[in-house]
Amino acid sequence: MGKKPLVKDQIREKQDELTAAERRLTATLLDDSLVAGLQSITKLAESAEVSTPTIIRLARKLGYQGFPDLQDAIREEIAAQMKEPLAKLETAELSAGKDHIISRFAEAVSRNINRSLERLDLEEFDKAAALLSDLNRRLYLLGGRITRSNAHYFFNHLQIIRPGVTQLDFSPSVWPQSLLDMDENSTLIVFDIRRYEKELERLAKLVVDQGANIVLFTDQWGSPIERYATFCFRSMVEVPSSWDSTLAINFLIEALVAEIQSRSDSADRIAALEDMIGESRIFRSN
């Protein structure tokens, strides 16, 4: 039997079938990454301003026997999202004697990339590439504590291919200056994997309020920023380590770079850059 879909994904898939009260309930659940679902059924009903029978009906529509069954699934999902590095390290140590870390890590990364590709919507990938290729659109990039290197890597390639690309400062105190210039012709490319960062979520809301849109790179569970994103790419991140791996995310970044470059008339820009590098003598000539 296959693994049951994530509760968040089930909720999103069923939205069109839900009543107004049930949609109000799912909004409460999704508002804080399902944490509200850990309350008693009475407390949850009060928070969402619905009846307890509405909660039971929603649970059954999602394929669960009742609220306790749904709550167990929510509890497991949150536990997976919030797994601490030390807990991950303990799991990794249990199998440490089986093979060398290089073999185990390579196997996990390969599995992550393959599973991420299985989930990838190619039509969404193409639409995102077209959006990011639009020279009339300004691009901004930002990553979190772990993913800021992914944001910088993508930024470094995009600014070579096209103009109008900015990497936001990591300090939230200077974000308002950038927000002032964001409008319907702007896109924020943001990276956010567990443990999801509240500052990034707040920024995402402000960006959408400005009329801009968002391209999100996240993990298999899905950042809360998904609710604001025009395009969302989920990648598998678990490896035999105390930290999550972003190699599957980088795979998508490099594929997007290749596609964006193929859609852009960047030959002259790249040639001009090479001339500047030669004139500045930054690198040793062959």
Side-chain angles (χ1 to χ4, degrees):
M1 183 180 294
K3 189 175 180 180
K4 199 173 185 66
L6 295 175
V7 175
K8 286 194 290 188
D9 289 343
Q10 291 173 290
I11 288 173
R12 292 186 178 105
E13 288 171 6
K14 294 283 187 180
Q15 279 298 307
D16 292 342
E17 304 173 24
L18 304 182
T19 65
E22 289 165 350
R23 283 196 295 273
R24 193 160 61 248
L25 171 58
T26 58
T28 298
L29 289 172
L30 294 176
D31 188 52
D32 196 16
S33 299
L34 301 177
V35 172
L38 298 181
Q39 305 175 92
S40 69
I41 190 170
T42 306
K43 287 288 187 183
L44 177 56
E46 290 175 0
S47 299
E49 298 181 351
V50 298
S51 65
T52 53
T54 297
I55 297 175
I56 296 169
R57 282 197 300 271
L58 175 67
R60 289 174 178 165
K61 280 188 179 180
L62 296 179
Y64 299 95
Q65 293 181 355
F67 180 63
D69 193 23
L70 171 61
Q71 196 169 54
D72 285 344
I74 289 173
R75 191 174 291 111
E76 290 175 11
E77 196 164 316
I78 291 174
Q81 290 176 8
M82 301 304 293
K83 189 186 296 180
E84 297 283 357
L86 284 178
K88 289 189 66 197
L89 183 59
E90 290 172 1
T91 302
E93 287 175 344
L94 291 175
S95 57
K98 294 181 180 178
D99 295 299
H100 194 280
I101 182 60
I102 291 293
S103 299
R104 290 186 289 116
F105 207 91
E107 182 181 350
V109 168
S110 177
R111 183 169 58 249
N112 283 349
I113 292 174
N114 287 331
R115 290 180 64 191
S116 298
L117 289 176
E118 288 170 2
R119 295 178 169 203
L120 181 63
D121 184 329
L122 295 182
E123 184 177 353
E124 183 168 273
F125 178 94
D126 291 342
K127 288 180 179 178
L131 181 81
L132 301 181
S133 303
D134 183 357
L135 299 185
N136 294 316
R137 180 168 290 278
R138 294 187 303 276
L139 306 182
Y140 299 83
L141 295 94
L142 183 64
R145 186 170 62 94
I146 300 299
T147 53
R148 62 182 56 177
S149 60
N150 302 93
H152 181 74
Y153 185 76
F154 202 5
F155 163 74
N156 193 41
H157 285 77
L158 285 174
Q159 69 168 345
I160 294 172
I161 297 170
R162 50 154 297 165
V165 183
T166 301
Q167 181 167 16
L168 296 183
D169 192 282
F170 299 124
S171 173
S173 64
V174 297
W175 290 346
Q177 292 96 302
S178 297
L179 280 164
L180 281 174
D181 297 325
M182 292 189 191
D183 56 23
E184 66 276 4
N185 293 315
S186 304
T187 294
L188 172 66
I189 303 168
V190 63
F191 297 80
D192 188 34
I193 65 174
R194 65 178 186 183
R195 306 160 67 185
Y196 312 114
E197 300 185 35
K198 283 287 187 183
E199 290 86 355
L200 293 180
E201 185 181 354
R202 284 194 286 269
L203 174 65
K205 182 182 185 305
L206 291 171
V207 166
V208 172
D209 288 345
Q210 288 288 100
N213 60 18
I214 292 174
V215 175
L216 169 68
F217 291 85
T218 185
D219 54 32
Q220 59 258 47
W221 299 283
S223 160
I225 296 173
E226 271 193 353
R227 76 188 74 173
Y228 304 114
T230 302
F231 299 108
C232 176
F233 298 103
R234 289 190 186 184
S235 296
M236 312 300 289
V237 299
E238 288 195 300
V239 288
S241 164
S242 57
W243 307 105
D244 288 328
S245 167
T246 61
L247 287 173
I249 293 175
N250 250 37
F251 179 94
L252 289 178
I253 290 172
E254 295 198 0
L256 270 171
V257 166
E259 181 61 16
I260 293 167
Q261 183 169 351
S262 72
R263 291 169 178 261
S264 305
D265 186 12
S266 57
D268 290 343
R269 182 178 174 85
I270 293 173
L273 175 63
E274 290 297 323
D275 289 342
M276 287 181 185
I277 289 173
E279 289 293 327
S280 61
R281 299 181 180 178
I282 295 173
F283 300 106
R284 180 182 298 175
S285 59
N286 292 329

